[in-house]
Amino acid sequence: MEGVAGEARVHLLPETVARLVETGSLEELVATVGADVFLFEVQAGQEELESVLAAWQTSATLPLVATLGFRTVMARRPSRAAVERMAAGAAGELDERARLRALLAAHTHVVVPVRKREVSGKAFSSRISVGRAMNNDIVLRDESVSKFHAWLEVDEEGKFFVTDAGSRNGTYVAGERLPPKQCARVSPGEELRFANIASAIWPSAWLWSACRDT
C-alpha cells in the first residue's frame, strides 16, 4: 500500500483491508471492520504473530455486549448519518491523523476488528480475551505473552477498558503497567502493550483519514 497518504509508504495488513482503506469509502471500511479497530505493530521475525492476527479479519464477527453496568449492545453497522459524523470528526483530528500516519509509515501494522470470534473464542460475551493460546478472541503468538493475558470491555458509550488477567509480563496503558484484575480506560490512539506487543485502538475514521490527503 504505497502513496495513499501522499507522503510515505503505509505498511498495513491484511491486504484486503489495505485495499479498502486505499480505494473504498469510509462507510465501506466501517461496514467491514467496525467503527473501531486494533492496530497491532509487528516486527521482523514475527511472521506467526502477523499471520494469525491477519486471519482474524474474517473470524472476528460478534459485537461486544456492553458491560460495566450497562445493557446495550454495540451496533454492528452504523447508519449513514453516523458514518458522516465520523468523517467530520476525523477531519478535525489533524494531529492524531499525522501521528497515526507516521506510525503506519514506520512499522507494519495489522488491522484487527474490536470484536469477538464467532467460534472457538472464550465464552463470555462482554469481554474480548487476549492471549497466546488459540482459544482467545485475539491471539498474540509471541513468547512474551501469557496464555490468557488480558481482556477488553466496552461501555454503552463505546469507551474501552482493559484488564490484565495476572499475566507474567504485564499489560501497559501509555507506558504504565496495570495492577492485575483492575480495569483501566484506554483512549483512542493510546498505546496499549501486551508484554512485548504494542497496539492501540483507533477509530476507523481516523485510520481512513490518515491514509488519505483529506
Side-chain angles (χ1 to χ4, degrees):
M1 181 177 180
E2 186 170 3
V4 177
E7 295 178 0
R9 180 178 176 84
V10 173
H11 305 277
L12 197 63
L13 294 171
E15 292 183 2
T16 52
V17 177
R19 287 195 297 269
L20 189 58
V21 171
E22 181 177 6
T23 63
S25 67
L26 174 58
E27 185 174 15
E28 290 172 323
L29 179 65
V30 171
T32 301
V33 300
D36 300 277
V37 293
F38 262 114
L39 287 180
F40 284 94
E41 180 183 314
V42 294
Q43 305 281 350
Q46 294 182 318
E47 288 78 11
E48 184 180 10
L49 172 68
E50 178 182 306
S51 63
V52 171
L53 280 174
W56 257 232
Q57 170 56 36
T58 56
S59 63
T61 59
L62 298 180
L64 275 178
V65 174
T67 184
L68 304 173
F70 300 112
R71 296 182 180 178
T72 53
V73 178
M74 292 180 65
R76 183 182 295 270
R77 180 169 181 166
S79 66
R80 180 179 295 274
V83 172
E84 291 174 351
R85 288 195 297 272
M86 291 178 203
E93 299 290 345
L94 296 179
D95 290 342
E96 289 299 285
R97 184 177 70 176
R99 185 167 71 88
L100 176 54
R101 183 182 301 170
L103 289 172
L104 294 174
H107 301 286
T108 297
H109 285 77
V110 181
V111 178
V112 176
V114 187
R115 301 172 182 163
K116 291 187 63 63
R117 285 197 292 159
E118 189 170 8
V119 294
S120 300
K122 293 186 182 297
F124 35 77
S125 62
S126 63
R127 300 175 179 177
I128 292 176
S129 60
V130 180
R132 190 177 76 251
M134 294 299 291
N135 67 335
N136 287 288
D137 294 303
I138 295 178
V139 178
L140 302 179
R141 298 295 288 174
D142 186 89
E143 62 183 6
S144 70
V145 176
S146 296
K147 290 181 179 179
F148 175 37
H149 196 99
W151 69 83
L152 198 77
E153 299 173 87
V154 66
D155 69 13
E156 67 174 3
E157 296 178 347
K159 296 176 182 177
F160 292 103
F161 298 81
V162 67
T163 302
D164 183 81
S167 66
R168 180 175 182 177
N169 293 314
T171 302
Y172 299 79
V173 175
E176 294 292 328
R177 183 166 182 165
L178 302 181
K181 307 299 176 64
Q182 294 186 25
C183 72
R185 169 80 189 279
V186 183
S187 299
E190 193 168 40
E191 185 186 55
L192 174 56
R193 181 176 290 273
F194 304 100
N196 291 341
I197 308 303
S199 70
I201 299 174
W202 292 90
S204 295
W206 293 12
L207 173 63
W208 186 83
S209 180
C211 294
R212 294 166 180 260
D213 287 325
T214 57

